[in-house]
Amino acid sequence: AGGINMGVRVVTMLMSQNVVLTRYSSQVYGMWSGVLTSVLPSSWGDATAGYFGLANTLSGIVGGVLAGLLTDVRSMQKKLKTCIIVALLGAGAFFTLFAVALPPLSEQGLKPLAKSRLGLLMVCTIAGFLRGSTDPLFFEVAADTAHPQSAGTAGSILTFGYHIALVISLSIPASVLENWALSAMAAVMFLCCMMVSLARVHYKRR
């Protein structure tokens, strides 16, 4: 009972600061990466779509590692909220650029960019880097918000809920994903940015 009560308290604290909701929104990334084969020019082939997904994922890992190192810099430890907002704004901008260059928005979008594999790959890579950099920052903020409860409890709750939400999102029909996944990814980044900006983050562990 004590463990359950502690978990409930942690969830309540995290939700009150929008931390849970913003972290779970990353599930849209799973939808986004799943439609690359359908939205990239068919003449590029499935292998190219795979390279785009790989570049986005690897750059996200690099961004996460670097952001994790940033959280150990004393001068930055009380500026995590600002770092998240900046990263989300940048990710939103590059995911928007990617979305308007491809179907279903490409008819009124950036056709020159859509024809350039290198240009589109760079946009995809930078977007992934910025998105990935928010992951360790969210966990750090969650740990601060949940304090004096353990950081492990906060991280476990975030991870468990994230995977449940991801399974639900992957059950959405493929036709819906193809039409909206790219736009949804960009929109979610901006929505998260707004939610984080409204959150009251207290750095209790510093």
Side-chain angles (χ1 to χ4, degrees), residues 1-9:
I4 294 176
N5 290 334
M6 181 178 67
V8 171
R9 288 197 299 271

Side-chain angles (χ1 to χ4, degrees), residues 103-157:
L105 302 179
S106 59
E107 293 182 0
Q108 300 176 349
L110 303 177
K111 292 184 179 180
L113 178 60
K115 295 179 181 179
S116 171
R117 297 191 194 192
L118 180 59
L120 206 56
L121 181 62
M122 291 180 62
V123 170
C124 180
T125 301
I126 296 173
F129 177 87
L130 293 170
R131 182 206 60 79
S133 69
T134 64
D135 289 343
L137 300 180
F138 273 126
F139 277 104
E140 279 293 311
V141 170
D144 274 315
T145 302
H147 188 77
Q149 305 297 339
S150 71
T153 300
S156 297
I157 290 172

